[in-house]
């Protein structure tokens, strides 16, 4: 059972408030005056913490725009969906295997094309986090990641964001020293207690990803959630609180519900379907759907009856991505930058078009 009250937007201007006490009937409000009346009733009954939490959620739900900034670079979120292009510097990526992962010139050329096609962030990772993946040492990860970041900055400049996909604080620190801007931690700073200190020291944005288990075992056994969305929200609240206690600024957090990281197919679908409910946290939402295995399961069961390799899951990725963006995703992490950029340009234009 969740430990906090919740506001759900059920229609454009209609909200339903669920209280901590499950025996209390939810309240429907349609405007700010009705909301304030509900808050005053809570205060009159000495439920100050509940009133405080709901008041913050109300403010968060009405946030439309966010900004990522670091070292003079800015990325505005809320109108155009930002694209994070994936660069796997590993021999065992689920998506592209060992495709030229040691060829620096190939990687620089690949990233150059990503930027040309519309990528806003380049996500460099040196350890596979596919289900069942074995961990690698920090030294091995550094050997894979740091030369790539150095080369990208040397040949392509400093006008674009680089995120380092790591849960190790020593790798994050070295990457930030060499020109990375964002830490993308699949564990949400839960695997390495020193990660929060590194993020605070460099005052950089950090992506808090949810995971249940570790990459090696996250898809094994019985995966259970009381409520997959609010269990993840509980995790986010805990890790953000931990970050704040370690001096990370409130505007540095980005949340990622972790599609495929300790979730069954139905969990992934429900997260995408209910993605707008994460807005109560008042933070930018990133989602990584591209080429994930749950897409294969759905297509295999409902359409093809055979496995579809990761590289052939573009259309499925775009379909799920569209729903996520319409439900509030600000950043999408993708392998196919060109196709995604064209797709999202049309989607963003149509959804933002004002009919007088």
């Amino acid at each position: 059972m969740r430990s906090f009250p919740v506001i759900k937007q059920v229609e454009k201007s209609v909200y339903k408030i669920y209280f901590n006490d499950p025996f209390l009937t939810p309240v429907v409000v349609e405007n700010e005056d009705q909301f304030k009346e509900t808050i005053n009733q809570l205060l009159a009954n000495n439920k100050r913490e509940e009133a405080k939490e709901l008041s913050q959620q109300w403010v968060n739900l009405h946030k439309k725009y966010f900004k990522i900034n670091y070292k003079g670079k800015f990325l505005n979120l809320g109108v155009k969906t930002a694209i994070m292009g994936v660069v796997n510097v590993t021999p065992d990526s689920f998506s592209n295997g060992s495709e030229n992962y040691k060829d620096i010139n190939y990687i620089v050329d690949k990233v150059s094309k990503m930027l040309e096609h519309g990528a806003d962030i380049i996500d460099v990772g040196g350890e596979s986090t596919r289900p069942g993946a074995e961990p690698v040492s920090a030294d091995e990860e550094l050997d894979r990641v740091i030369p790539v970041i150095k080369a990208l900055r040397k040949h392509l400049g400093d006008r674009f964001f680089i995120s380092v996909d790591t849960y190790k604080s020593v790798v994050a620190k070295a990457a930030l020293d060499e020109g990375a801007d964002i830490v993308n931690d699949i564990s949400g700073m839960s695997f390495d207690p020193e990660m929060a200190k590194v993020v605070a020291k460099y005052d950089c944005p950090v992506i808090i990803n949810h995971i249940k288990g570790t990459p090696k075992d996250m898809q094994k056994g019985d995966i259970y959630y009381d409520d997959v969305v609010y269990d993840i929200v509980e995790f986010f609240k805990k890790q953000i609180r931990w970050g704040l206690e370690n001096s990370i600024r409130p505007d540095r957090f980005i949340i990622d519900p972790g599609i495929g990281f300790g979730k069954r197919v139905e969990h992934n679908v429900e997260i995408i379907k209910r993605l707008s409910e994460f807005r109560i946290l008042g933070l930018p939402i990133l989602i990584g759907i591209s080429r994930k295995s749950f897409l294969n399961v759905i297509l295999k069961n409902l359409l093809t009856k055979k496995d579809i390799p990761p590289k052939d899951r573009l259309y499925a990725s775009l379909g799920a991505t569209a729903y996520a963006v319409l439900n509030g995703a600000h950043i999408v992490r993708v392998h196919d930058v060109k196709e995604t950029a064209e797709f999202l340009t049309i989607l963003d234009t149509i959804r933002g078009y004002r009919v007088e």
Side-chain angles (χ1 to χ4, degrees):
M1 186 176 72
R2 68 172 184 271
S3 62
F4 54 92
V6 165
I7 306 175
K8 287 187 180 181
Q9 186 172 8
V10 292
E11 293 180 27
K12 185 176 182 180
S13 300
V14 180
Y15 302 85
K16 185 175 284 189
I17 300 174
Y18 297 84
F19 301 101
N20 281 358
D21 186 344
F23 295 103
L24 286 179
T25 302
V27 172
V28 175
V29 300
E30 297 185 15
N31 54 55
E32 190 161 356
D33 288 339
Q34 291 178 1
F35 177 75
K36 287 179 178 178
E37 183 180 342
T38 301
I39 294 300
N40 287 334
Q41 289 175 0
L42 288 171
L43 292 172
N45 286 284
N46 202 31
K47 295 185 177 181
R48 295 187 177 277
E49 288 304 313
E50 197 163 358
K52 181 180 177 181
E53 170 68 26
L54 287 171
S55 296
Q56 186 59 62
Q57 287 185 25
W58 182 260
V59 172
N60 291 343
L61 282 168
H62 291 83
K63 284 186 180 180
K64 292 183 178 180
Y65 307 106
F66 301 88
K67 180 181 288 185
I68 298 174
N69 66 88
Y70 191 66
K71 292 184 177 179
K73 293 187 286 289
F74 295 88
L75 183 59
N76 294 310
L77 305 173
V79 177
K80 172 187 175 296
T81 306
I83 295 174
M84 173 185 280
V86 179
V87 177
N88 291 315
V89 196
T90 65
D92 52 353
S93 163
F94 89 94
S95 176
N96 61 355
S98 59
E99 180 187 27
N100 299 318
Y101 85 99
K102 289 185 177 181
D103 188 336
I104 297 293
N105 291 330
Y106 169 82
I107 294 171
V108 170
D109 184 61
K110 178 178 180 178
V111 170
S112 177
K113 288 184 172 63
M114 285 183 169
L115 295 171
E116 180 185 341
H117 292 149
D120 301 287
I121 306 168
I122 300 299
D123 191 44
V124 181
E127 177 177 327
S128 175
T129 53
R130 76 190 193 287
E134 294 287 344
V136 302
S137 69
D139 287 341
E140 177 65 25
E141 193 174 345
L142 286 166
D143 286 344
R144 295 174 180 178
V145 167
I146 299 305
V148 169
I149 293 174
K150 284 183 176 180
L152 294 180
R153 286 300 183 217
K154 178 181 178 180
H155 296 288
L156 302 178
D158 194 42
R159 291 182 293 178
F160 62 97
F161 284 91
I162 294 177
S163 59
V164 58
D165 184 354
T166 186
Y167 56 83
K168 300 182 182 75
S169 61
V170 64
V171 176
K173 181 181 184 303
L176 290 165
D177 283 337
E178 296 298 341
D181 308 290
I182 301 169
V183 174
N184 181 11
D185 186 343
I186 63 158
S187 79
M189 303 192 300
S190 67
F191 288 177
D192 184 341
E194 298 299 309
M195 183 64 87
K197 296 177 183 177
V198 170
V199 172
K201 178 182 176 180
Y202 286 82
D203 191 27
C204 65
V206 59
I207 299 165
I208 304 295
N209 183 92
H210 175 270
I211 186 172
K212 197 177 184 101
T214 68
K216 186 175 180 178
D217 62 18
M218 63 187 178
Q219 294 303 112
K220 296 179 180 178
D222 182 28
I223 301 172
Y224 173 78
Y225 294 90
D226 285 328
D227 181 310
V228 66
V229 169
Y230 292 114
D231 286 4
I232 295 173
V233 171
E234 290 265 21
F235 173 83
F236 285 152
K237 282 176 168 287
K238 176 184 175 184
Q239 294 312 112
I240 290 166
R241 186 165 55 247
W242 166 250
L244 294 173
E245 290 170 357
N246 280 275
S247 302
I248 299 176
R249 289 196 288 141
D251 65 348
R252 289 315 201 187
F253 299 101
I254 301 165
I255 55 174
D256 179 349
I259 295 293
F261 286 88
K263 283 94 176 173
R264 298 296 185 198
V265 173
E266 58 270 25
H267 297 140
N268 296 318
V269 172
E270 186 168 351
I271 288 167
I272 296 168
K273 182 80 173 179
R274 298 173 58 194
L275 195 67
S276 63
E277 294 178 40
F278 289 102
R279 290 168 51 220
I280 62 173
L281 293 169
L283 294 168
I285 300 170
L286 181 151
I287 196 159
I289 294 171
S290 178
R291 302 184 180 181
K292 291 288 178 78
S293 61
F294 84 99
L295 301 170
N296 175 56
V297 174
I298 294 172
L299 293 175
K300 181 179 177 180
N301 288 341
L302 299 182
L303 192 62
T304 67
K305 309 303 181 185
K306 61 181 180 180
D307 285 318
I308 297 176
K311 287 187 177 182
D312 293 335
R313 298 173 192 165
L314 171 62
Y315 301 128
S317 299
L318 293 177
T321 296
Y323 206 99
V325 168
L326 293 174
N327 264 347
H330 301 94
I331 309 168
V332 294
R333 184 179 183 272
V334 304
H335 300 84
D336 304 290
V337 170
K338 181 177 184 294
E339 294 83 354
T340 303
E342 292 179 358
F343 180 86
L344 289 176
T345 296
I346 302 302
L347 182 66
D348 288 339
T349 299
I350 294 173
R351 70 170 176 150
Y353 184 80
R354 295 182 62 181
V355 179
E356 299 298 336

